[in-house]
Amino acid sequence: MYQYDAIDQTIVDERVRQFRDQTKRFLAGELTEDQYRPLRLQNGLYIQRFAPMLRIAIPYGLLSTTQLRKLASIAREYDRGYGHFTTRQNLQFNWPRLERVPDILEELASVQMHAIQTSGNCIRNTTSDQYAGVAADEIEDPRPYCEIIRQWSTLHPEFAYLPRKFKIAVTASATDRAAIRVHDIGLQLVENDQGERGFAVYVGGGLGRTPVIGTLIRDFLEPVHMLSYLEAILRVYNRLGRRDNKYKARIKILVRESGADRFAEWVEREWDKIRDTDLRLDPGDIARMQSYFVPPAYPDRRDSEVVAAQADQEAAFGRWVTHNVIAHKQAGYRIVTVSLKDPNDAPGDCTAEQMECVADLADMHGFGEVRTTHEQNLILPDVPHEALYTVWQALDAAGLATPNHGTISDMIACPGLDFCSLANAGSIGVAREINALFDDLDEQYDLGEIKLKMSGCMNGCGHHSVGHIGILGVDKKGEEWYQITLGGSAAEDAELGQRLGASVSRQDIAPAIRKIVDRYTEVREGDELFLDTVRRLGITPFREAVYG
């Protein structure tokens, strides 16, 4: 992974020093709340319902075990012993004391981490495929390009006060595991007919109050032009994006109202002015960044025959291998999903002890690296095949081996009304009630892949608009109600879900999901997946099941 140089470290250390002084002056009454607010947001600090919330940047979801142990230590020392992994591959602490936040930032800086640009109208954390570098189906590792984007965008003076927040995602596979089409900019590494590699560029995606699927504006962009093209897009948006209405300020609104073709013309004209400036990447610059992400020296291994016997003898291990373990590009290794979806816990929550357990396993049975996912799980990317049983035992003892990856209980959910001051309804309690109705793993496996995504408000942090089943919390005269959408997808077949009908009450939402799934089992054809069934039949059969 990328290692800070002296410039990187100086920037992060200086930001800590500045914010320590700003916080001290605020607590002494020398800064007003209005003066302090933009300063704290620039450092990822929100004020939630009950306490501050600090959002930590995890660039493209990549953590060293040293960094993960530091997060565990901070959770134990400064919070309530746990953290919450988010759909932007970041980590949030929900209970830090305001006066101690500068101390947390100093701790983070000691392991090359920070909270810069995890909030505010700026370029946020760049996300990527959680299997980057180890996926058998990728063209090449996209992380070097993510790191180039991170360095270009961090504290970029021209884009520090955009009309609204801005999000970029990068993938290198035909199978989109990074949800690039629901980002402001999505980059997909592709090969043209001549075998040359470049980027397909999608613009104007986004969720929230007005969900939009991104549009392809350029089907091939040479990697040397990546930064200049991104800058051209940002300049057009910064100049023409709405600033008079925050609900219409995202780039998706500009692209939709201007038309994708016209927007692309604006970008191309701006790009012509800057494509051959210092923003042009020298091939040596790309190669230098790629040198930080050279694959480890994998010892030669073969798959172990013992693992199959262990899976046959111990059903729980067999289920975990089937559902939470996938192929690796290197023979004799596997990619392991560490489930943060225990039915009794909030999706994405992870205790300090669990973080330390995962870090230990990554050191003992890997190369000291852990990934976070936009589906709120963790990844052990390099597990030797013969070590799977040992890894499973340790994860199982830590409550991290729920064998449910890709099932209905592997749901995405924001913290909702339990924490967030913007939320209209709870998410965590609803998640538990839904899990209680689907507590039979064999039934979940029979149902197949169902991506259930839930948000507590229109901001859509739980990606409900692109869930196979989406749940949105709404407020009705102070009461919690929920809207349901069906048929969405954030993958390469990206599509917005269709609203099923009128919102349902708090007590009826979990039973409504049960009715939808029961109707699916009645009308599916053979092993047809839920999403395929909805696309074949439309939402009418499911509407009838819920509303009569």
Side-chain angles (χ1 to χ4, degrees), residues 174-463:
T175 300
D176 182 8
R177 293 177 287 263
I180 63 170
R181 293 189 64 192
V182 291
H183 282 74
D184 299 285
I185 296 176
L187 298 177
Q188 181 181 15
L189 270 163
V190 295
E191 284 189 349
N192 63 17
D193 293 340
Q194 290 73 46
E196 299 166 328
R197 293 175 183 174
F199 293 103
V201 182
Y202 294 85
V203 172
L207 302 177
R209 184 176 298 271
T210 308
V212 179
I213 300 299
T215 301
L216 181 69
I217 65 166
R218 190 175 183 87
D219 57 12
F220 191 84
L221 176 73
E222 293 177 326
V224 294
H225 295 307
M226 180 185 71
L227 285 189
S228 59
Y229 203 78
L230 292 181
E231 184 132 336
I233 294 170
L234 264 296
R235 284 187 175 187
V236 171
Y237 169 55
N238 205 18
R239 185 171 70 248
L240 301 178
R242 295 279 296 271
R243 294 180 184 271
D244 60 326
N245 185 329
K246 70 176 183 178
Y247 301 117
K248 297 183 179 181
R250 296 290 296 271
I251 193 174
K252 61 189 177 184
I253 304 299
L254 176 61
V255 173
R256 189 177 69 175
E257 292 185 349
S258 65
D261 291 342
R262 188 180 183 195
F263 182 85
E265 290 174 3
W266 291 339
V267 171
E268 292 290 325
R269 285 204 297 267
E270 186 67 34
W271 185 44
D272 283 342
K273 303 173 187 175
I274 61 175
R275 60 186 296 173
D276 292 320
T277 64
D278 290 343
L279 290 168
R280 182 186 176 97
L281 292 169
D282 185 277
D285 296 329
I286 298 174
R288 184 183 69 82
M289 194 58 68
Q290 289 171 332
S291 71
Y292 287 101
F293 298 91
V294 172
Y298 291 104
D300 289 336
R301 299 183 188 275
R302 295 182 179 180
D303 286 0
S304 171
E305 296 178 358
V306 175
V307 172
Q310 292 167 328
D312 289 338
Q313 294 167 5
E314 193 149 1
F317 173 62
R319 289 194 295 267
W320 179 80
V321 169
T322 299
H323 295 280
N324 287 37
V325 179
I326 66 169
H328 193 289
K329 66 167 53 175
Q330 185 74 21
Y333 291 83
R334 294 294 187 274
I335 304 168
V336 169
T337 295
V338 179
S339 176
L340 301 184
K341 307 296 175 60
D342 185 298
N344 298 311
D345 297 327
D349 280 4
C350 191
T351 68
E353 292 75 21
Q354 289 173 327
M355 293 183 210
E356 290 166 342
C357 170
V358 174
D360 290 344
L361 291 172
D363 282 336
M364 290 185 291
H365 305 290
F367 300 94
E369 184 181 296
V370 178
R371 316 284 183 83
T372 66
T373 83
H374 88 272
E375 294 179 327
Q376 298 179 289
N377 291 312
L378 299 178
I379 298 294
L380 292 171
D382 298 298
V383 177
H385 186 256
E386 71 267 17
L388 285 174
Y389 187 76
T390 301
V391 169
W392 170 75
Q393 286 181 310
L395 292 175
D396 189 46
L400 295 171
T402 306
N404 64 344
H405 186 227
T407 70
I408 193 169
S409 65
D410 185 22
M411 66 183 74
I412 290 175
C414 71
L417 200 58
D418 291 83
F419 295 99
C420 183
S421 59
L422 300 176
N424 297 315
S427 300
I428 296 173
V430 174
R432 290 197 178 107
E433 291 176 18
I434 293 172
N435 280 330
L437 294 177
F438 296 94
D439 60 348
D440 185 338
L441 281 170
D442 287 331
E443 181 194 14
Q444 291 188 43
Y445 301 152
D446 289 340
L447 293 173
E449 182 183 62
I450 299 180
K451 293 187 178 294
L452 192 155
K453 305 182 181 185
M454 178 164 40
S455 302
C457 77
M458 290 295 292
N459 285 312
C461 296
H463 294 195

Side-chain angles (χ1 to χ4, degrees), residues 89-104:
Q89 299 182 292
N90 290 326
L91 180 104
Q92 294 178 178
F93 289 121
N94 289 311
W95 301 100
R97 286 163 44 196
L98 178 59
E99 64 271 19
R100 301 201 72 187
V101 169
D103 296 329
I104 297 175

